[in-house]
Amino acid sequence: GAVVSQHPSRVICKSGTSVKIECRSLDFQATTMFWYRQFPKQSLMLMATSNEGSKATYEQGVEKDKFLINHASLTLSTLTVTSAHPEDSSFYICSARVVAGLEAFFGQGTRLTVV
Amino acid sequence: GESVGLHLPTLSVQEGDNSIINCAYSNSASDYFIWYKQESGKGPQFIIDIRSNMDKRQGQRVTVLLNKTVKHLSLQIAATQPGDSAVYFCAENSGGYQKVTFGTGTKLQVIP
């Protein structure tokens, strides 16, 4: 299957700082990328859907000014957690959908710890 | 702090037995369904998918059954192996290229 690379895999940051997570589709073009967060022993919760060249669509309850999403090209989307707090500590996962396709491929996830 | 974690339902099966993992979905307009496997600390891995115009699809050692009448999806794993131990999620897609939303997940434990 197609490969989605997420970077970094782990990051520890201080409270109040911002962290950027990258999601790249390595061997295909993705018009749509999705960002999820996952708490321990829970399912993946969709945060936002980003389409290349347009503003992301955020799910209800997700602060768009806190979780900045940029999808500037068909192979790269970034999620920036701004002014991070300990409650933002979580596992963040991106997925990418091929052009005119249904299947979504997932990155390996980023473990964010805010101290 | 983080939300209190819910305990995932757990299915324990003996190595070599067949496993059946069930999922109820919510949106009657969903037209595409996927099963994912997630190992600890990793992203979900695609297992098998099925479109709403089908009621059964088979892959290698896995079969997905879809019952649209009761909005139920199941994943059958034949001859379960220790490497199958993971959390399994069903996911549904609504309306073409829209979002993929996940079910609650089931933890599969394979007893050697």
Side-chain angles (χ1 to χ4, degrees), chain B residues 8-109:
Chain B
L8 291 169
T10 300
L11 174 66
S12 296
V13 298
Q14 206 72 37
E15 180 179 358
D17 287 352
N18 297 334
S19 303
I20 300 176
I21 300 171
N22 296 304
C23 175
Y25 65 92
S26 56
N27 189 345
S28 57
S30 294
D31 54 8
Y32 175 64
F33 304 88
I34 317 104
W35 279 100
Y36 289 98
K37 172 186 180 182
Q38 187 181 30
E39 296 174 328
S40 182
K42 297 183 179 180
Q45 177 186 357
F46 173 90
I47 300 174
I48 191 168
D49 58 0
I50 188 168
R51 297 189 184 223
S52 59
N53 61 354
M54 302 171 68
D55 53 20
K56 180 179 180 179
R57 189 158 188 236
Q58 287 185 289
Q60 188 177 15
R61 279 203 310 121
V62 294
T63 301
V64 55
L65 299 177
L66 173 63
N67 185 331
K68 294 183 289 295
T69 303
V70 295
K71 292 190 284 188
H72 183 269
L73 202 63
S74 69
L75 176 69
Q76 301 177 2
I77 304 173
T80 312
Q81 302 168 1
D84 295 327
S85 294
V87 177
Y88 290 80
F89 293 98
C90 66
E92 59 186 295
N93 179 99
S94 303
Y97 308 129
Q98 294 183 22
K99 57 192 179 185
V100 175
T101 54
F102 281 71
T104 53
T106 297
K107 182 177 181 179
L108 176 65
Q109 285 183 331

Side-chain angles (χ1 to χ4, degrees), chain A residues 32 34 36 38-44 46 49 59 87 89-91 93 97 100-104 106-109, chain B residues 1-8 32 36 38 41-44 46 49 51 89 93 96-100 102-104:
Chain A
T32 305
F34 304 92
Y36 296 83
Q38 185 179 32
F39 292 114
K41 299 188 192 302
Q42 293 193 30
S43 186
L44 283 74
L46 181 65
T49 303
E59 294 299 300
E87 57 263 33
S89 298
S90 189
F91 194 51
I93 308 169
R97 171 172 275 156
L102 286 175
E103 187 178 344
F106 283 79
Q108 70 270 38
Chain B
E2 291 186 345
S3 303
V4 174
L6 301 172
H7 287 286
L8 291 169
Y32 175 64
Y36 289 98
Q38 187 181 30
K42 297 183 179 180
F46 173 90
D49 58 0
R51 297 189 184 223
F89 293 98
N93 179 99
Y97 308 129
Q98 294 183 22
K99 57 192 179 185
V100 175
F102 281 71
T104 53

Side-chain angles (χ1 to χ4, degrees), chain A residues 51-66:
Chain A
N51 292 295
E52 185 263 339
S54 62
K55 290 184 178 180
T57 301
Y58 289 81
E59 294 299 300
Q60 194 172 11
V62 178
E63 299 174 60
K64 61 180 181 181
D65 294 330
K66 180 167 184 62

Side-chain angles (χ1 to χ4, degrees), chain A residues 13-18 83-87 113-115:
Chain A
C13 71
K14 291 185 177 180
S15 189
T17 62
S18 296
S83 186
H85 291 284
E87 57 263 33
T113 303
V114 185
V115 298

